[in-house]
Amino acid sequence: MKKIFLFILFITTAHFTKPYWEEPVQKWKSSAPVQDMVNSIRDNEQLSSFFQSIEQEFTALLENINQQGEGRERHSDESQKASEQDAPTLSIPTDHSFSIHNIGIGDSKTTVQQEVGPPKRSTINEYGVMWNTYHENYQNFLMVSFDENDTVNGLYTNQPLLSSSLDLSFENSKESIYQILGEPLTEIRKGFTIFELSGEGEYEVFLVDNTYVTIFYDLHENDSITAIQLISEELEMSKTKLYSPETDDLKIGFEYQLFDVTNAARVQHDLQPLVWDHTVKETARKHSLDMAVENYFDHTNLQGQSPFDRMEEDRIQFLVAGENLAYGHVSSLFAHEGLMNSLGHRENILQEDYTFLGIGVAFNDESQPYFTQKYYAN
C-alpha cells in the first residue's frame, strides 16, 4: 500500500544563467502525542474489554483490507501492462529530423489532433505562444505550441517519445550525440545581442534544420537524455530578451507548466502524479513575491518564518511537507530540469509520500521569475 504523505549600437552579451536554488527543506510531524494519548486510554481498566472487542474487529478489518489490497495490486499490474501497450508506436520521421510522439516542427494542428487528441491544458509560455499539454494521466507527455497559422513551432517532452531520422533517441549517450549533431552552440546571436549558452553540463543547444534543439541531461544517471525541447528558428528569433516581461498570464503559465512537467517526471519514475492544491499555491506565490520584492532568496523569510510556519499561518494541515526554490531560469522547463539535477530537490520531486503540490511564481523588476514549489501530504 502507498504511504500517506529559469546596446543599442554594439554587441551586448546576455547569459542563459545557471540555476540558483537554496537547499530543499522537508518536515515530518511526529505522531508521538497521539500515541501517548492512546496508551493512556488503554491503561484504563474500565475500557479494557471495550478495546479487546475493538481490536478483534480491527484485525478482521485489516484482513479484509489486505485481501482487497492484493486485488488492487493485481489490478495495478494489469493497468501498468495496459499503459505499456498504449505507448505510441514511434515512426521515423521523413519530413523532419526530429519528431515527438510522431509530431514535428511544421506539422499542422490537424495532424496534432489526429495524433494526440485535444490538449489537457493550454498556457502562455516565455515565447508568447501557448504550450498545449497532452498526456494520459501524465503518460505519453508532451507539450506543443503553434504559430498564427496553426503550424507547430515548439515541442517538449521529458519522456522517451523522441524519434529521429538521424538515429537519435533517449537511449543515446552524450558522446554519440556529438557524433550525430556536432559540437553544441556556445551562443545565439539575435540582431546586436549575443545570448551566451552556459548550461553547466545540464543542457546543450544545437541548430539542426532551422530548429533549435535543446537536449537536457540527467547528471545523476550518467548524463542520459532526460528531456528535449524543439523550437523553430523563427520563434527563437522572435524572443529578443533573455527574460520575458511579466504578465499575469505568464505567471499562471509558468506555475502550471512546472506542475505538469513535475508530474510527468514522477510518472516516468513510476510514481503517482500529485494533485494541484490552490491554497498552498497561494502560500507559495506569496513567498515568491516576497523574495522578488525584498531581493532575497531563502526558505526563511525576513520575518524569520520557515516554510512550515507559513503553511501553518495559512491553516494548511500537513503530516509531511517540503519546499523547493529556483531562480535565474528563463522558463519553467529549465527550472524543472535544473532542480532534477540537484539531489535534494530531486528527492522532493520524487518523494512518494507527497500527495499535493502548489507552485507560486513572481517576477522581480528585471523580469526574472522566482519559483516556489510546496509539496505536502495530510
Side-chain angles (χ1 to χ4, degrees):
M1 293 178 62
K2 195 176 182 303
K3 289 184 289 186
I4 302 180
F5 305 127
L6 146 87
F7 64 93
I8 299 179
L9 296 176
F10 248 73
I11 295 176
T12 318
T13 300
H15 289 268
F16 280 98
T17 55
K18 73 175 184 178
Y20 292 97
W21 49 64
E22 284 295 305
E23 288 301 314
V25 294
Q26 292 182 344
K27 182 177 183 179
W28 296 74
K29 286 192 172 180
S30 172
S31 59
V34 177
Q35 188 63 53
D36 292 343
M37 179 182 68
V38 171
N39 290 339
S40 176
I41 294 174
R42 282 182 172 168
D43 288 340
N44 189 324
E45 294 180 358
Q46 295 178 352
L47 296 176
S48 177
S49 60
F50 172 75
F51 271 105
Q52 287 177 3
S53 63
I54 291 295
E55 186 174 1
Q56 291 173 357
E57 294 181 10
F58 187 67
T59 300
L61 178 61
L62 280 178
E63 291 177 356
N64 185 40
I65 290 175
N66 286 334
Q67 292 175 358
Q68 294 179 1
E70 291 174 359
R72 282 196 296 270
E73 289 172 3
R74 288 194 296 270
H75 179 72
S76 177
D77 291 339
E78 293 172 358
S79 298
Q80 183 176 358
K81 292 178 181 178
S83 67
E84 290 174 353
Q85 293 173 354
D86 290 338
T89 301
L90 301 180
S91 303
I92 303 299
T94 57
D95 298 330
H96 321 285
S97 295
F98 303 96
S99 66
I100 295 175
H101 204 307
N102 299 320
I103 299 166
I105 298 294
D107 282 346
S108 67
K109 180 178 284 190
T110 300
T111 299
V112 174
Q113 292 173 337
Q114 292 173 345
E115 180 68 25
V116 294
K120 301 291 185 181
R121 195 193 314 275
S122 298
T123 52
I124 199 78
N125 67 16
E126 70 275 16
Y127 290 98
V129 295
M130 306 296 287
W131 272 133
N132 300 277
T133 304
Y134 304 86
H135 57 87
E136 301 103 37
N137 198 28
Y138 292 100
Q139 296 276 359
N140 303 323
F141 176 86
L142 73 156
M143 301 169 74
V144 185
S145 66
F146 302 95
D147 63 17
E148 65 277 7
N149 299 315
D150 287 341
T151 299
V152 175
N153 60 3
L155 288 158
Y156 168 88
T157 187
N158 58 355
Q159 296 182 356
L161 300 174
L162 172 68
S163 55
S164 173
S165 60
L166 302 177
D167 196 25
L168 182 64
S169 73
F170 271 44
E171 301 299 320
N172 283 81
S173 66
K174 184 179 286 191
E175 291 72 19
S176 67
I177 294 172
Y178 297 155
Q179 294 174 1
I180 296 170
L181 301 182
E183 292 297 316
L185 300 176
T186 60
E187 62 184 34
I188 297 178
R189 183 186 298 269
K190 300 181 181 182
F192 290 106
T193 304
I194 294 177
F195 294 86
E196 291 187 355
L197 303 173
S198 54
E200 300 292 327
E202 295 182 352
Y203 69 87
E204 291 174 323
V205 183
F206 304 83
L207 182 58
V208 182
D209 295 339
N210 301 316
T211 299
Y212 284 95
V213 180
T214 302
I215 297 178
F216 298 91
Y217 301 106
D218 192 328
L219 302 185
H220 304 294
E221 294 187 5
N222 300 316
D223 287 339
S224 59
I225 299 177
T226 187
I228 187 168
Q229 177 180 264
L230 309 175
I231 299 293
S232 73
E233 188 171 19
E234 181 179 7
L235 180 58
E236 184 62 53
M237 290 300 137
S238 71
K239 186 173 179 289
T240 58
K241 295 182 179 180
L242 180 59
Y243 296 104
S244 300
E246 174 187 359
T247 66
D248 287 340
D249 287 342
L250 183 59
K251 177 169 57 180
I252 295 170
F254 277 179
E255 292 169 347
Y256 279 121
Q257 290 154 25
L258 186 51
F259 175 77
D260 286 337
V261 298
T262 298
N263 270 341
R266 286 178 61 88
V267 167
Q268 185 63 22
H269 287 79
D270 299 320
L271 297 170
Q272 289 295 318
L274 300 171
V275 178
W276 177 261
D277 187 281
H278 177 78
T279 303
V280 83
K281 179 267 292 185
E282 291 296 330
T283 306
R285 186 182 281 185
K286 284 189 293 186
H287 187 56
S288 288
L289 181 60
D290 190 47
M291 291 190 294
V293 171
E294 300 297 336
N295 192 30
Y296 73 96
F297 188 61
D298 202 308
H299 291 291
T300 303
N301 65 20
L302 300 184
Q303 289 71 47
Q305 291 180 308
S306 74
F308 317 109
D309 294 332
R310 299 192 301 273
M311 291 178 69
E312 291 172 345
E313 183 179 64
D314 289 344
R315 300 187 177 183
I316 298 168
Q317 297 181 350
F318 62 93
L319 288 176
V320 54
E323 179 177 89
N324 283 350
L325 303 180
Y327 159 72
H329 301 272
V330 297
S331 76
S332 291
L333 306 185
F334 282 83
H336 169 74
E337 299 300 336
L339 290 169
M340 280 291 287
N341 276 316
S342 171
L343 280 176
H345 301 88
R346 184 190 188 100
E347 182 180 349
N348 268 340
I349 293 170
L350 302 180
Q351 170 61 256
E352 66 176 344
D353 294 305
Y354 293 141
T355 305
F356 304 102
L357 172 59
I359 298 171
V361 173
F363 299 78
N364 64 13
D365 291 340
E366 297 177 349
S367 297
Q368 297 169 323
Y370 288 73
F371 301 87
T372 300
Q373 294 180 312
K374 299 194 75 68
Y375 301 84
Y376 79 100
N378 54 21

